[in-house]
Amino acid sequence: MSEILFASQPIYNRHNEVYAHELLYRHENGISAFEVGDSVATSEVLYNLCTGLLDYVEHVKLPVCVNVSTEFLLSGLFLPLAPNHVIVELVERIEPTPEIVDAIKRWVDKGFRFALDDFEFQDSWTPLLEYASIIKVDIEKTPLDIARQRFEELQHLNVLWLAERIEDETTYEEYKALGFDLFQGYYLARPTTVEGKRVPSAAATQLTLVINQLFSEDPELYEIVAALQTDPVLVVNLLRIANSPYYGLTRQIESLKEVVMLLGLEPLRKWVLLIVSVKGQAPTKTKLVLTRAYMCSELARKKDPFNRLSGPAFLVGLLSGSDVLVGIDKDTFLQDLHISENVREAVLHHTGDLGNYLTKILDFEYDLAMKNSLEAHGDLFDIYQQCHFLVDELLNNVVID
């Protein structure tokens, strides 16, 4: 069953081509962005954009416009998407203090573009003009003659002018004749609700080993991977993000290490913090899936002294529990993931060496749960105890908020 993920309203250029899409917060219970706050609303929209199983993905081909809060601007975190994929909208609620202006300059230096939303040409916003890429004029609040005057006065700025709330052809033609570059409003297109399957977030990750490793002074790749392995819900979310169109994945992923290397340290930090900020329910069977993943990895390590399949085996064990972790059947969840066929076939059909490891562990789990004899499983019980103890130790170091 599809869920409401967000809404999307196109912005058009003078040639009636879509220039960008503004993403709008939507909630199935009718809760507004104002009620949840700008930070939460932006986090949920971006999270659903890159992790949700969307019914269509037209909006990902062009830049997306998102609102950010004062707190986010001042945090120094920046957004997890590359600057060419996003336009940051500054809403009228933001007070352009010297601290805000300095923060925006740092964002611009990083390559981000800003749109001054509902711009009313107040003197207090003048310091932001030199950092703006787009000036959005709410034509319901700003009469045409005032818009014309300001447009002529600010021609020295290297900005695009956007007329928003265009609701009829006459108004559209007036602002087009005036020289505006971009247009948005019900006359051109109403917001469209984007639906799909929402992937639960890793709400219990806030103070985990993951955060500690990601933000250590000298982060190590293998320690980051090991820390991520303590939170399977976070991992499946990062897999969805790595497979989103914004990262242009061209090769198949076989291990968690490849996900980390693909995203890069800075984007990974931003995504983890954003995922943490999206509230959700921690999965009740995390320990079962983690133990299974570590058992798969250990079986692979014992069979191969060169340890070539340990990473893929962990991924197989983890993804075999994706239905438990995120409530989406494995066929649907894996459909759009650009993982190797060996991993995919092992998870779905238990084929190959990786699938054989998984089958052995699933059979063992069944007999263990049913309190059947475990003699036929050889040393699997010892491996289970070892991995179960490891998972207990790892999760004991996770502080759940």
Side-chain angles (χ1 to χ4, degrees):
M1 183 177 177
S2 292
E3 305 165 275
I4 296 175
L5 301 182
F6 51 85
S8 176
Q9 186 177 26
I11 296 168
Y12 292 87
N13 63 19
R14 294 178 61 85
H15 306 292
N16 205 33
E17 300 166 334
V18 179
Y19 173 81
H21 289 269
E22 181 175 4
L23 302 188
L24 307 167
Y25 179 81
R26 291 291 186 272
H27 194 282
E28 290 187 335
N29 295 331
I31 301 171
S32 69
F34 182 78
E35 291 175 281
V36 300
D38 290 331
S39 294
V40 173
T42 299
S43 295
E44 289 195 17
V45 165
L46 287 176
Y47 176 81
N48 289 337
L49 173 69
C50 285
T51 65
L53 300 170
L54 309 184
D55 291 353
Y56 72 96
V57 292
E58 184 67 26
H59 55 280
V60 304
K61 299 176 183 178
L62 297 167
V64 294
C65 300
V66 296
N67 295 330
V68 298
S69 65
T70 299
E71 293 75 19
F72 203 101
L73 283 171
L74 294 174
S75 69
L77 293 175
F78 303 104
L79 290 167
L81 297 181
N84 60 304
H85 287 311
V86 66
I87 298 170
V88 181
E89 295 199 351
L90 300 177
V91 297
E92 70 278 5
R93 294 190 297 276
I94 290 178
E95 182 67 29
T97 62
E99 292 77 16
I100 287 289
V101 175
D102 288 343
I104 290 171
K105 182 181 183 302
R106 291 193 295 271
W107 281 63
V108 171
D109 290 342
K110 290 281 188 179
F112 287 95
R113 292 169 289 171
F114 280 84
L116 305 184
D117 195 15
D118 294 344
F119 193 59
E120 297 182 20
F121 306 101
Q122 297 177 5
D123 290 341
S124 62
W125 279 61
T126 300
L128 298 180
L129 288 173
E130 65 176 295
Y131 302 115
S133 295
I134 299 174
I135 293 178
K136 297 182 70 172
V137 178
D138 184 339
I139 65 172
E140 289 187 355
K141 297 179 180 179
T142 305
L144 180 61
D145 58 337
I146 299 297
R148 178 182 292 107
Q149 177 186 341
R150 299 303 188 186
F151 179 76
E152 293 172 354
E153 289 175 354
L154 299 175
Q155 278 302 293
H156 62 283
L157 296 175
N158 183 25
V159 298
L160 298 176
W161 288 76
L162 189 158
E164 59 178 336
R165 300 189 189 275
I166 299 285
E167 297 196 0
D168 57 69
E169 183 178 4
T170 300
T171 307
Y172 170 65
E173 293 297 340
E174 285 176 339
Y175 279 87
K176 192 173 182 181
L178 180 58
F180 271 53
D181 307 283
L182 303 172
F183 310 89
Q184 183 180 17
Y186 285 1
Y187 169 69
L188 298 164
R190 291 176 176 268
T192 301
T193 299
V194 178
E195 297 184 343
K197 183 65 178 178
R198 188 189 307 270
V199 177
S201 65
T205 315
Q206 192 160 3
L207 297 175
T208 65
L209 297 175
V210 179
I211 301 293
N212 293 334
Q213 289 300 333
L214 280 176
F215 291 89
S216 70
E217 292 185 5
D218 189 21
E220 293 287 342
L221 174 63
Y222 289 99
E223 291 180 357
I224 291 173
V225 172
L228 285 172
Q229 288 177 346
T230 67
D231 197 322
V233 181
L234 181 59
V235 172
V236 295
N237 276 301
L238 291 174
L239 275 168
R240 288 292 310 171
I241 290 165
N243 279 272
S244 73
Y246 296 103
Y247 287 93
L249 193 61
T250 57
R251 61 184 177 84
Q252 296 175 328
I253 291 175
E254 287 197 335
S255 67
L256 180 55
K257 182 179 76 172
E258 292 180 82
V259 174
V260 175
M261 294 176 67
L262 171 72
L263 294 177
L265 180 61
E266 285 305 315
L268 182 63
R269 284 171 170 169
K270 297 165 192 171
W271 275 122
V272 168
L273 290 177
L274 187 144
I275 291 171
V276 166
S277 71
V278 180
K279 299 303 180 184
Q281 296 298 320
T284 57
K285 297 186 179 180
T286 294
K287 187 178 293 187
L288 167 68
V289 177
L290 271 182
T291 302
R292 181 189 304 167
Y294 278 106
M295 288 180 72
C296 283
S297 180
E298 182 63 14
L299 282 183
R301 189 190 66 79
K302 283 181 173 292
K303 296 290 184 181
D304 179 12
F306 297 103
N307 208 24
R308 290 167 295 193
L309 288 181
S310 179
F314 183 91
L315 200 57
V316 166
L318 190 70
L319 291 177
S320 73
S322 59
D323 51 343
V324 173
L325 295 173
V326 296
I328 301 172
D329 68 271
K330 289 190 282 288
D331 286 287
T332 301
F333 187 80
L334 298 183
Q335 183 176 351
D336 297 323
L337 287 188
H338 205 57
I339 54 178
S340 72
E341 282 305 304
N342 287 341
V343 171
R344 186 188 310 278
E345 290 300 308
V347 173
L348 297 179
H349 306 297
H350 299 187
T351 59
D353 289 339
L354 294 174
N356 185 44
Y357 301 147
L358 179 60
T359 298
K360 288 182 177 179
I361 292 167
L362 292 176
D363 289 344
F364 169 82
E365 287 179 357
Y366 177 81
D367 284 340
L368 182 66
M370 300 301 294
K371 299 182 179 180
N372 296 333
S373 172
L374 301 177
E375 290 183 8
H377 297 287
D379 63 349
L380 264 187
F381 183 70
D382 292 335
I383 294 174
Y384 165 76
Q385 286 187 309
Q386 172 189 339
C387 294
H388 191 269
F389 176 78
L390 171 63
V391 169
D392 273 341
E393 286 297 301
L394 289 171
L395 296 183
N396 282 339
N397 288 294
V398 175
V399 181
I400 298 178
D401 185 15

